[in-house]
Amino acid sequence: MAKKKVVKSSRSRGWRSASTSDRYELYELAVQGTEADCIFIDRVFRQRRNRSPHSLREDFCGTGLLAREWVTRRDSNTAVGVDLDQAVLRRGRERIATLPAAARSRIELKKGDVNEIRTAPADVLVALNFSYFIFRTRAQLLEFFINARMGVAAGGMIVIDAYGGSGSWATGEEERSLDGFTYVWHQARVSPITHDVTNHIHFRFPDGSEMRRAFTYVWRLWTLPEIKELLVEAGFRSPAVYWEGTERKSGEGNGVFKPSRLGEACEGWIVYIVAEN
Ligand SMILES: C[S@@+](CC[C@H](N)C(=O)[O-])C[C@H]1O[C@@H](n2cnc3c(N)ncnc32)[C@H](O)[C@@H]1O
């Protein structure tokens, strides 16, 4: 789970270890697929609005990788990232400092709670990699969507994601071998009664070292109908689930997400959900 990206190795394996690695860098490499996210956002916005989006707010931005990708895509693009964690924002700002000056002037990372901070309404507000699953009651998730809507311009959109499938109800580990390290998604606790889940990310290295519990998430595993209903309660319109197509040969996801009403009962899926303001 939490995987959207196949990393192509340009260096020989075995060059990383737990003590020399930065967990935020490994997270970006293993989990985030921001180029694909931006292409998706552009395509859906153009389809629905007949123009390109320019301003983006990234909630739960972490290091702001998506916001950075966004401002480098078009000279007219601007981005605001919001996160609570000063340490992760510092890391993000260090990366922003390496962008060309023109792009640097169009991005800002703000420290704050997504439910409290007020920003100029954006064409698109994104909250990806299931970050909003931290809200574990209906009232809390509704509050988040209501606050998020205040950050979206009239005619703008919210873009979030969700995961599920039969495998999301099982405990256990799933490994993926990447560029000099192994990414481990560990579903440690799953409650069928509360839908509360505890997931960890571990990183393992060729020298046998491990960064255990590099990240831990205590979430509610929300279902798609619940999310769509709460988006509408918060005032968003036309929530739609974008389901990933399947590569015929491998049976794996093909990275192409299209609106779907029914989906498919498979072991693991990740979707985008888009709703309009
Ligand atoms: C899973 S990371 C998401 C990183 C990145 N956006 C991504 O797509 O992978 C979740 C982030 O949400 C932040 N966070 C948690 N609660 C928050 C809140 N109420 N307001 C703002 N940020 C919050 C954490 O500090 C953490 O950096």
Side-chain angles (χ1 to χ4, degrees):
M1 212 53 61
K3 58 179 179 342
K4 288 187 181 163
K5 186 174 186 181
V6 176
V7 178
K8 293 194 180 83
S9 173
S10 57
R11 299 176 67 165
S12 57
R13 293 183 51 79
W15 57 282
R16 294 183 196 268
S17 69
S19 60
T20 59
S21 295
D22 172 325
R23 69 188 183 118
Y24 297 118
E25 185 193 358
L26 299 181
Y27 176 90
E28 288 183 355
L29 288 169
V31 174
Q32 295 191 273
T34 53
E35 190 183 357
D37 292 332
C38 289
I39 290 170
F40 175 82
I41 291 165
D42 267 344
R43 174 169 64 83
V44 170
F45 198 95
R46 272 196 223 105
Q47 281 168 353
R48 290 184 176 222
R49 292 286 173 257
N50 219 12
R51 71 168 178 92
S52 295
H54 298 295
S55 49
L56 178 109
R57 168 166 152 179
E58 182 185 10
D59 274 2
F60 310 99
C61 69
T63 57
L65 182 62
L66 178 66
R68 277 182 272 142
E69 172 75 30
W70 185 254
V71 295
T72 53
R73 288 180 74 74
R74 265 192 300 277
D75 289 349
S76 54
N77 279 3
T78 59
V80 175
V82 179
D83 202 285
L84 273 179
D85 185 343
Q86 193 64 264
V88 81
L89 288 173
R90 194 177 316 119
R91 192 56 54 98
R93 290 185 186 119
E94 284 166 14
R95 305 277 176 79
I96 288 172
T98 67
L99 292 176
R104 229 162 42 218
S105 67
R106 290 183 277 106
I107 180 171
E108 189 183 0
L109 300 188
K110 287 178 179 276
K111 181 179 182 305
D113 188 317
V114 292
N115 280 331
E116 288 169 9
I117 207 154
R118 295 289 170 255
T119 54
D123 288 331
V124 180
L125 183 145
V126 284
L128 293 182
N129 280 309
F130 330 118
S131 306
Y132 67 95
F133 283 11
I134 56 154
F135 299 120
R136 283 155 65 195
T137 66
R138 226 178 163 279
Q140 286 171 349
L141 187 54
L142 178 60
E143 185 190 2
F144 168 59
F145 287 152
I146 288 171
N147 283 301
R149 190 164 160 249
M150 290 187 214
V152 181
M157 288 171 195
I158 184 170
V159 177
I160 56 181
D161 57 5
Y163 77 91
S166 54
S168 60
W169 295 108
T171 54
E173 291 188 355
E174 181 186 306
E175 286 191 358
R176 236 167 357 117
S177 186
L178 295 172
D179 196 5
F181 67 104
T182 299
Y183 161 80
V184 185
W185 176 251
H186 178 190
Q187 294 179 177
R189 193 179 61 94
V190 176
S191 166
I193 293 180
T194 61
H195 282 208
D196 284 349
V197 297
T198 302
N199 300 323
H200 306 290
I201 292 177
H202 316 300
F203 298 114
R204 293 183 186 137
F205 301 89
D207 66 354
S209 61
E210 181 175 25
M211 215 185 267
R212 201 163 167 75
R213 297 190 180 182
F215 297 93
T216 292
Y217 305 107
V218 181
W219 284 338
R220 170 156 166 186
L221 187 51
W222 288 93
T223 66
L224 297 178
E226 287 169 321
I227 296 165
K228 286 171 67 185
E229 284 162 11
L230 286 166
L231 283 166
V232 170
E233 269 181 56
F236 285 106
R237 288 177 294 113
S238 314
V241 172
Y242 285 71
W243 194 264
E244 191 177 11
T246 308
E247 244 172 40
R248 209 177 296 155
K249 271 190 189 157
S250 65
E252 298 285 312
N254 64 3
V256 181
F257 291 80
K258 293 190 176 157
S260 170
R261 294 177 75 84
L262 292 179
E264 190 191 329
C266 52
E267 198 184 335
W269 47 257
I270 288 174
V271 294
Y272 289 105
I273 304 161
V274 178
E276 299 176 5
N277 189 20

